[in-house]
Amino acid sequence: MSIISVQLLTGLAYGMLYFMIAAGLTIILGVMNVVNLAHGTLFMLGTYIAFTFISQQYSFWVAMLLSVILTAILGIIIERLLIRRVYGKELEQVLLTFGLSFVIADSVKWFWGTEMQTIPVPAMLDFSISVGEMVFPAYRLFVVLIGCLLATLLWYLESKTRIGAVIRAGVDDRSMVGALGINVGLVFTGVFAFGAALAGLSGVLGGPLVGMYIGMDSEILVTSLIVVVVGGLGSWKGSFIGAIIIGLIETLGKVWFPSLSMLIVFLLMMIVLIIRPQGLFGREVA
């Protein structure tokens, strides 16, 4: 039983990591109607930026804060200079962000090299707790806690604040929001920066779990897109539930069916799309 408990906790930790990056992706998609295929490279960039600061003897927490700020600033630059030019043009958005992902990935390869690295677990969390006869790293529980806190924050922002009301209205009718005198362009910039910051945050937190290597951006992007599709486009609640499901299936699948774990994940996505095309928590389009 303790082995199963440890695997469930591991799946939950990875699920929270997937949620943090998928939440930013689905918020950008839901509010701005932009499919950002460069989101995975922002995750990778956040990891490498934090690694650089930690290598310069900064603490893990300072490195995480600086990484989140810098990825948010990069998100603002990308939205202002590039994304703003292709609003309402789905094909151009896909091509632009897909190409941008290659530019960022190659820049990471050029600046940091191709050798696999890892971010060390912060000292205060570098211990394990007992789960029956097994032990479980405290850092993974910390990742679960951060994911739950983020879900709570998103719920509060959505349901209890004015900016949440503006974002919900923007999802429903962007033109009406603009007609009410709200600066839609500023809202879009803020949303994109917030999504980029979440990608950077998840990259830093994921560093000690998954390591750092060239190609991690593509892997995390595919998983995030699956989470978004299963949970429902534009729904952070759907991303939360979908990420937990995907994290558990992927982790348990690697234990019981190592060669079929990703196949099971794709089968789940296919079943959801057949039964409920809008996702578990997505709204049906009339």
Side-chain angles (χ1 to χ4, degrees), residues 121-122 124-130 135-145:
V121 174
M124 64 180 297
L125 295 172
D126 193 12
F127 65 94
S128 299
I129 61 174
S130 297
V135 293
F136 189 78
Y139 180 77
R140 295 187 179 185
L141 289 179
F142 171 73
V143 172
V144 174
L145 174 63

Side-chain angles (χ1 to χ4, degrees), residues 21-42:
I21 185 171
L25 187 63
T26 196
I27 290 171
I28 291 173
L29 178 61
V31 177
M32 305 170 65
N33 198 27
V34 171
V35 181
N36 180 22
L37 296 184
H39 202 68
T41 54
L42 294 176

